[in-house]
Amino acid sequence: MSKSERPFILVSNDDGIFSPGIKALAEVAAEFGDVYIVAPDKEQSAVGHSITIQVPLRASKFTVADKFEGEAVNGTPADCVKLAHGQLLDRKPDLVVSGINHGSNAGINIMYSGTVSAATEGTILGYPSIAVSCTDFNEDANLRGCQEAARRVIRFVLKNGLPRGITLNVNAPAGEFTSIKWTRQADSRYVEEYESRKDPFDRAYYWLTGKFELLDEGKDSDIHALNDGKATVTPIQYDLTAYHLLENVDERSLNEED
């Protein structure tokens, strides 16, 4: 990795180092600084913020799209950012960007997303960090709108920085978007079902199905804005404390005896 006066930008994802989305994001990041990619060697969708502790991690050098240096890691997205920070980089990044994910990471998807977790890990390590996702799951989806949303948010963060502990979660529709909007995370969930099947040896196994359920009618939510053709930027944090409850509970209630 050569050093320069340009910002140094670490790029990761959860779809794997050879996904179209990571190439598209690296191209945008390269407009602003020197890019290095550290990403999983295979798809790691929906792994959340899991990290590898039972097997050794290995990193193999790759060139992505014939122009971006990088390394593929046999681990999770969070592993990739941790390993980049602790071992693989000889220069600390000025920015961590993760994506472009194929599939929305709005609403409750934030909790499950490996894409978001790579960015959140960057935030935990002290770097301004951004996650970028496209609402279209198709690998050949038009990512130009997501690239433009990423471009605007990267420019904003490099100019203004981010408060400690805050990650920006960006989502955009395939193709063009009408505008970009600051939003909050929509209240939503998955109503999960498991389809029971039998293998050739008559042993039961289960396949996750179910459907997404939006519990939020607020027009300021990420999902509402995406449904309206907008791109969204949602500031999120890894501090999960419910402060509104702490402000209203009486500690004496925990110390009363029956």
Side-chain angles (χ1 to χ4, degrees):
M1 288 169 285
S2 61
K3 296 182 179 180
S4 76
E5 298 301 319
R6 304 182 77 211
F8 183 43
I9 302 175
L10 173 65
V11 178
S12 192
N13 73 348
D14 74 356
D15 286 329
I17 196 165
F18 299 114
S19 74
I22 203 166
K23 173 180 175 290
L25 185 57
E27 288 174 346
V28 174
E31 297 172 13
F32 297 90
D34 298 333
V35 168
Y36 198 74
I37 296 174
V38 181
D41 60 2
K42 58 181 177 296
E43 184 176 348
Q44 294 279 347
S45 296
V47 299
H49 210 105
S50 62
I51 57 174
T52 301
I53 59 173
Q54 298 293 339
V55 297
L57 291 175
R58 303 181 189 276
S60 302
K61 289 188 178 294
F62 279 95
T63 300
V64 178
D66 296 324
K67 55 183 174 181
F68 300 115
E69 293 184 11
E71 302 189 47
V73 177
N74 64 322
T76 69
D79 286 333
C80 292
V81 177
K82 279 181 172 291
L83 192 62
H85 164 80
Q87 293 289 332
L88 303 180
L89 303 181
D90 58 12
R91 176 183 173 193
K92 298 306 182 186
D94 299 289
L95 180 69
V96 175
V97 292
S98 178
I100 296 171
N101 188 67
H102 292 271
S104 170
N105 277 316
I108 196 62
N109 291 317
I110 291 172
M111 292 294 295
Y112 304 114
S113 169
T115 299
V116 174
S117 290
T120 304
E121 184 61 38
T123 302
I124 292 170
L125 294 171
Y127 307 122
S129 300
I130 304 165
V132 185
S133 302
C134 178
T135 58
D136 193 326
F137 284 91
N138 294 320
E139 284 220 347
D140 60 352
N142 183 341
L143 299 178
R144 285 195 296 272
C146 295
Q147 287 181 299
E148 177 57 26
R151 183 176 292 111
R152 296 186 193 185
V153 177
I154 289 172
R155 183 184 298 115
F156 171 86
V157 172
L158 289 176
K159 179 180 179 181
N160 299 286
L162 286 175
R164 183 178 180 275
I166 301 297
T167 305
L168 295 186
N169 183 40
V170 179
N171 286 272
E176 305 302 321
F177 56 82
T178 58
S179 63
I180 189 165
K181 181 178 180 181
W182 289 96
T183 58
R184 61 175 176 81
Q185 179 184 355
D187 184 10
S188 56
R189 66 179 180 179
Y190 281 95
V191 180
E192 295 174 332
E193 300 173 358
Y194 286 87
E195 183 178 330
S196 178
R197 303 179 184 177
K198 295 285 188 178
D199 69 14
F201 301 97
D202 202 38
R203 296 175 299 197
Y205 69 95
Y206 305 92
W207 200 270
L208 179 63
T209 59
K211 62 180 181 179
F212 180 81
E213 184 176 30
L214 179 62
L215 304 173
D216 198 321
E217 296 182 358
K219 293 184 178 182
D220 58 340
S221 77
D222 49 9
I223 293 177
H224 182 277
L226 288 166
N227 290 340
D228 202 29
K230 297 180 173 66
T232 62
V233 185
T234 305
I236 61 174
Q237 59 188 14
Y238 54 81
D239 180 353
L240 301 181
T241 305
Y243 290 102
H244 63 283
L245 180 60
L246 282 179
E247 293 170 357
N248 293 288
V249 291
D250 186 347
E251 195 169 283
R252 291 173 299 180
S253 63
L254 297 177
N255 295 291
E256 292 176 353
E257 297 182 0
D258 293 336

